[in-house]
Amino acid sequence: MNFLKPYIKKYAKPFSVGVLFLTFEAICDLMQPTIMSKIIDIGVANQDLNYVFKMGGLMLLITAFGALSASVRNVVASNVSQNFGMGLRSDLFRKIQSLSARNLDKFDSASLITRLTNDVTQVQVFTNGLMRIFVKAPLLCLGGLIMATRLNSQLAVVLAIVVPIVALLIVINMRVGFPFFKKVQKALDRVNGVMREYLSGVRVVKAFNRFDYEVNKFNGANEEFQSTSIAATRVMAVFSPAIMLTVNIGIVVVLWVGGVRVSEGHMQVGHIIAFTNYMTQILFSLMLISMVFNMFVRARASAARIGEVFAEENQMTWSDQLPATTTRGRIDFEQVCFSYDGEPVLKNITLTCLPGETVGIIGSTGSGKSSMVSLLPRFYDVNSGSIQVDGVNIQHLDPKKLREKIAIVPQKTTLFTGSILENIKWGNENATQAEIERAAQMAQAHDFIANTPDGYHTRLGQGGVNLSGGQKQRVSIARALVRNPEILILDDSTSAVDVATEARIKEALKTYARGLTCLLIAQRITSVIDADKIVVLDQGEIVGTGTHEELMKTCDVYQQIFQSQVGKEVQADV
């Protein structure tokens, strides 16, 4: 739990203030039975009404001070726990953002959401309980033991038997409960995962009428969560009644022994009442300790899951010592091999892309096209070989500075909740309205944006749900173009656009792309046919490089792709 140390240091002072007022509250509670004993044994026994009023007034004064201390403690505890929860959640989110794609692949998306929400809340609730209950309960228990022993050492023998039994029950409670609550959090991960998957693919579910299947899948995860939670609750539910039974038996023994001692004239009635009150306080405190330990078991399981994310070290490293270079946009792949912790996806990739060159990358599904360009902005690092940008190994470059050189239109279009203008300005937050409109015009998005009721200020739903696939792709292209990058990566970014619109985009890019390196990944051979250079990938290897005419003569794989997409007749005409 090393990740908690900065928070402990930060909130130590307000936590101490809360504990101080909590201590005042506990002392006030502990003084009440002793004063009550004196009122009965002295004031009532001697029929001294003045003594009763005097001690009664003292009790009221102590009670008021205790109530004031409790109020201050509650305010401090709420502030500390809420600020702690907010800080932990923010730091965890920043930590997740700082991790590489390879690091994030170790965690399921739904699990990360659960850790950011439910797990942080569990730790926050425990922090609140720590200041409001957990510190007070031991003070009441220890203080009650001391006060009861001072009051009557003979009856204190009962406490010497009861307290160790209760302590043993609490320890067993912790050891048994922890594994169960880890299972509960994992089951909650699965519920969130099923729900997230359904919401992201709700249109497909509707299109194929798979409601029953999705309901059954959710019910399965939900029932697993229910059964795991019930099992954990049942285990924990055994201990509280056992603790209560043990302490109540102790109270019965005290009343029985005390009654005998009073009848024999060896003890006063007030002592019995005070001792019983202290036993009740001890019972109450032990029950609180048991409850907080239940909270602790949950919080410990959640903290361990949060700690797993904080313990994850970003595998990317870079050097601050970089050679000066005047080259802008040159890319060199040198004997690059890469895999996603399994079979190699890319094998011995060697390729040079010159500044101002448009390079088309084509190949069958699964040939490694997207994996190849995902290495360029360091979403992943190569297993062997090297990639150089402007003559510098990208593993020596700060990923942030490297990505400032690159604009990418991903294969899966992602838009964010907000206006179209805000989405395009993701590429360059300082872009002027004229620059945004120019980028939209080159992406063939300006016309449909202008025809919307609010133009560039039209609000988009989550993921751009109120735009068509082609419109989302064009907005995504505009977002990349407004960045004015040195390297532009278009990863099958016109797959949902008609041929005529794609041709206009390509024509606009010819003017725009002068001076920058453009990597164009496509499934359609017509999308790359006029590129300066075409790279053909097959099963993770480069099997051909050259212009369309050169590849038609030298590359069998390219010929097969052309044959399957364009056809024999067109080929004959060419």
Side-chain angles (χ1 to χ4, degrees), residues 3 95 99 107 304-314:
F3 73 91
K95 177 66 178 180
L99 295 176
F107 303 96
R305 285 159 49 83
I306 294 170
E308 289 174 358
V309 181
F310 277 111
E312 191 68 29
E313 293 293 333
N314 194 336

Side-chain angles (χ1 to χ4, degrees), residues 1 3-4 115 118-127 170-183 185 236 292-308:
M1 307 296 177
F3 73 91
L4 291 174
R115 293 173 205 234
N118 186 270
D119 284 326
V120 172
T121 300
Q122 294 290 349
V123 178
Q124 178 182 321
V125 168
F126 173 72
T127 304
I170 291 173
V171 171
I172 296 172
N173 185 3
M174 285 183 58
R175 295 181 67 88
V176 172
F178 178 67
F180 277 91
F181 283 107
K182 285 192 72 174
K183 293 178 181 177
Q185 295 305 108
M236 305 303 280
V292 172
F293 269 119
N294 286 347
M295 293 165 54
F296 172 73
V297 169
R298 287 174 174 263
R300 183 185 169 200
S302 293
R305 285 159 49 83
I306 294 170
E308 289 174 358

Side-chain angles (χ1 to χ4, degrees), residues 158 246-256 276 279-280 283:
V158 177
T246 303
V247 179
N248 280 329
I249 289 173
I251 292 175
V252 170
V253 172
V254 167
L255 291 173
W256 177 65
T276 304
M279 282 288 290
T280 305
L283 165 65

Side-chain angles (χ1 to χ4, degrees), residues 205-220:
V205 175
K206 290 178 180 293
F208 287 90
N209 286 323
R210 298 287 284 176
F211 292 108
D212 293 340
Y213 173 80
E214 289 296 320
V215 167
N216 291 334
K217 187 165 69 171
F218 180 80
N219 285 342

